[in-house]
Amino acid sequence: MDVSPGWPVIACLLILLVVTVVANRLGGLGLARASVLAGARAVVQLSLVALVITAVVGSLALSFVAVAVMFAMAVVTTSRRVGAPRAWPWAAASMACGIVPVVAVVLATGAVPLTGIAVIPVAGIVIGNTMTVHTLVGRRTFSALREEHGQYEASLSIGLTSSQAIDEVIARRVPEGIVPSLDQVRTSGVVTLPGAFIGVMLGGGSAVQAATAQVLVLFAIMATQAITAGVQARLICRRNLLPPDLAASLVS
């Protein structure tokens, strides 16, 4: 199956964008402008990415450079999303703890060949999903720490350390960031056909090859998200990874 740039694709994209805008306005969601901007950015960014990948995919070294750039952009994005841009080194550390060993296992076992055309998409999927869980965990835990500051102070009053008091508040919120991905794994092939499966099929692979690639990706995502969420929670408890307002209010 061949999906190439052309008038049919352009017409489809425009129609879908119009539907998105109309649905936003009729539903009173207030995201019409944001949707248009997001769509425009997606077109520009993916076009540039396609050019970059075409240029570097023949070199393994340049492919890893491209992956590093993707990782850097993911760190910047999630740090801003959780309202802690100055804590980006800690965000990078928590994400790297999940991404590096998982990608290393995938490559070391030979499940994915050590070539640019394989490394870039697999690493990109892992990085993207790691960024998502980091953002979800951060937003949920930071919201809880703001809303339940009284519980934090009460925990301190009974002799708990600051790290223990923070953990009392966020412990039940951290798993919430992973649940959406677990639901995706549970329903793969039943409710949804995820991206890797569709990509292999569109690329001419068999259904068996598509299923194998998708299972590999899903297991990699589960592993990296579990590690990242755990490390992130520890860094939050240690007050390393916090927005400025919480860093000031969560004192020992």
Side-chain angles (χ1 to χ4, degrees), residues 8-109:
V9 173
I10 294 174
C12 181
L13 293 177
L14 290 175
I15 293 171
L16 292 175
L17 187 59
V18 169
V19 169
T20 302
V21 171
V22 172
N24 269 279
R25 290 182 175 175
L26 291 178
L29 304 179
L31 296 174
R33 183 173 181 273
S35 298
V36 173
L37 292 176
R41 284 189 60 173
V43 171
V44 173
Q45 290 169 182
L46 288 174
S47 297
L48 292 175
V49 166
L51 294 175
V52 171
I53 290 177
T54 300
V56 307
V57 75
S59 167
L60 186 59
L62 290 178
S63 295
F64 277 110
V65 170
V67 169
V69 172
M70 294 164 65
F71 175 76
M73 292 304 299
V75 170
V76 171
T77 300
T78 190
S79 298
R80 290 177 178 175
R81 283 293 185 187
V82 300
R86 294 183 179 178
W88 69 263
W90 298 108
S94 62
M95 291 173 63
C97 284
I99 294 169
V100 173
V102 168
V103 173
V105 168
V106 170
L107 295 176
T109 58

Side-chain angles (χ1 to χ4, degrees), residues 160-238:
L160 296 184
T161 65
S162 178
S163 294
Q164 292 170 331
I166 293 174
D167 188 53
E168 285 292 317
V169 176
I170 71 172
R172 67 183 184 279
R173 303 298 182 97
V174 174
E176 294 176 4
I178 306 177
V179 168
S181 291
L182 288 180
D183 287 342
Q184 182 184 16
V185 175
R186 291 191 189 100
T187 59
S188 291
V190 179
V191 177
T192 62
L193 291 178
F197 188 99
I198 300 299
V200 174
M201 292 291 289
L202 291 178
S206 68
V208 173
Q209 290 174 321
T212 302
Q214 187 60 63
V215 169
L216 176 63
V217 167
L218 291 175
F219 275 57
I221 290 172
M222 284 196 299
T224 187
Q225 290 190 338
I227 297 171
T228 295
V231 174
Q232 182 182 7
R234 293 305 96 204
L235 291 174
I236 292 173
C237 288
R238 293 173 56 185

Side-chain angles (χ1 to χ4, degrees), residues 76-171:
V76 171
T77 300
T78 190
S79 298
R80 290 177 178 175
R81 283 293 185 187
V82 300
R86 294 183 179 178
W88 69 263
W90 298 108
S94 62
M95 291 173 63
C97 284
I99 294 169
V100 173
V102 168
V103 173
V105 168
V106 170
L107 295 176
T109 58
V112 170
L114 192 59
T115 60
I117 194 64
V119 170
I120 291 177
V122 171
I125 293 173
V126 172
I127 290 171
N129 283 275
T130 305
M131 177 187 70
T132 297
V133 78
H134 187 277
T135 299
L136 290 175
V137 169
R139 291 174 70 90
R140 282 169 168 76
T141 55
F142 296 160
S143 177
L145 288 169
R146 293 186 180 101
E147 295 171 1
E148 302 175 27
H149 189 72
Q151 180 181 336
Y152 170 78
E153 293 182 331
S155 297
L156 291 179
S157 69
I158 62 173
L160 296 184
T161 65
S162 178
S163 294
Q164 292 170 331
I166 293 174
D167 188 53
E168 285 292 317
V169 176
I170 71 172

